[in-house]
Amino acid sequence: MIGVTKEESVAWVQVKHPPANALSTELLTQLDERMTELSHDDEISAIILHGEGRFFVAGADIKEFEGKKGSDLADGGQALFNKLESFNKPIVAAIHGAALGGGLELAMACTIRIATEDAKLGLPETNLGLIPGYGGTQRLPKLVGPHKAAEMMLTGLPITGADALMWRLVNDTAKDEQQLLEKAGKLAKTIAEKSRLTSERILDLVQEAHHGEDFEKGLKKEAQYFSEVFDSADAKEGIGAFLEKRKPEFSNR
């Protein structure tokens, strides 16, 4: 259900659960396992998450709902998506077809999102008499604002990838799936070429700013991390390369 291929320092994580790539319990367990492995893989500096077939992820596996406890479903999904949001390596979500319900919640937990212009993104849980349970009610308002988020969740209506760019739900769009994967690959490769130490620190500081309420605490952490990276071998290499007008070669280990 979850495939992983590696191209130099970039890992491509594929969701494989036809026909809609629904988020079954087994799929979420495999995703957790594969991402844990990648977090410890010293050869990987960036990750691309995408779905095989017609969709990114069209939602949760509703067939599994019967006999399940809502608290177990919500707790498990939230734990995994919180883990992805605070992951130690950047994750680029490449969205085509549809990212609905849990699929959009998964994408929102990623670092960066790119979507095809005609992709459908939404949280349609109200159509089932439900509400989002994997973090959607908390992440969507921070991305598109409270009023647009309320409209999307109350109506259950999706928006296109083009509209998602306008609402800053995604970082960029592509005209089709081929261009989508090309853009995602180029972006991930550019990120992977940077110092892994700086990437890890930036990701942590972005989460501090996103979730923290103490601006001064965030500044102190920034100063602490700046001091750490300033004295690192990667900083010496980067500064030296700039002065010598050459491309830096970071250790990334």
Side-chain angles (χ1 to χ4, degrees):
M1 288 187 173
I2 298 295
V4 177
T5 57
K6 301 176 183 179
E7 295 180 2
E8 298 179 347
S9 54
V10 175
W12 292 76
V13 177
Q14 304 97 18
V15 180
K16 304 177 179 182
H17 188 195
N21 289 335
L23 296 179
S24 66
T25 301
E26 183 181 355
L27 188 150
L28 291 172
T29 298
Q30 287 190 19
L31 179 60
D32 193 0
E33 292 172 350
R34 298 294 88 77
M35 295 302 291
T36 297
E37 292 166 2
L38 290 172
S39 71
H40 300 295
D41 190 333
D42 288 339
E43 295 182 353
I44 298 302
S45 297
I47 297 164
I48 298 169
L49 178 65
H50 72 104
E52 285 200 346
R54 295 173 54 204
F55 303 106
F56 174 71
V57 172
D61 194 339
I62 299 173
K63 296 189 301 292
E64 290 192 351
F65 282 9
E66 189 172 358
K68 292 286 183 70
K69 293 177 63 177
S71 58
D72 291 341
L73 289 170
D75 290 347
Q78 286 183 10
L80 174 55
F81 291 1
N82 288 345
K83 175 179 178 177
L84 298 182
E85 186 176 45
S86 59
F87 207 67
N88 64 340
K89 298 173 184 180
I91 306 170
V92 179
I95 303 165
H96 73 291
L100 301 173
L104 180 55
E105 290 173 305
L106 171 60
M108 289 192 292
C110 295
T111 316
I112 296 169
R113 288 162 295 283
I114 305 175
T116 57
E117 294 174 354
D118 61 353
K120 302 298 182 185
L121 297 86
L123 296 176
E125 285 84 353
T126 54
N127 295 329
L128 300 175
L130 296 172
I131 67 170
Y134 291 173
T137 65
Q138 302 304 297
R139 291 191 175 96
L140 187 62
K142 291 181 178 180
L143 291 167
V144 305
H147 307 297
K148 185 62 177 179
E151 175 195 320
M152 290 177 63
M153 289 186 282
L154 290 170
T155 65
L157 297 175
I159 61 176
T160 65
D163 285 340
L165 179 62
M166 180 182 68
W167 284 103
R168 301 183 181 179
L169 181 54
V170 299
N171 299 69
D172 195 7
T173 57
K175 63 181 180 180
D176 54 33
E177 187 177 0
Q178 179 180 347
Q179 187 184 65
L180 171 73
L181 297 181
E182 290 173 355
K183 282 191 171 187
K186 182 177 180 181
L187 177 62
K189 184 178 180 181
T190 298
I191 294 171
E193 291 175 346
K194 305 297 188 291
S195 162
R196 188 176 302 165
L197 175 63
T198 59
S199 293
E200 290 178 355
R201 295 298 184 266
I202 287 172
L203 288 173
D204 188 61
L205 288 167
V206 167
Q207 286 303 305
E208 179 74 35
H210 187 56
H211 293 292
E213 298 179 356
D214 190 335
F215 182 71
E216 292 299 324
K217 179 183 177 183
L219 288 178
K220 288 179 180 179
K221 189 180 232 185
E222 179 189 273
Q224 173 192 338
Y225 283 172
F226 180 84
S227 178
E228 290 177 9
V229 300
F230 188 82
D231 294 330
S232 70
D234 278 347
K236 292 180 174 59
E237 166 63 14
I239 295 169
F242 177 81
L243 295 174
E244 295 165 15
K245 294 181 172 52
R246 60 176 175 82
K247 187 176 180 179
E249 297 182 5
F250 298 116
S251 62
N252 279 345
R253 290 292 186 273

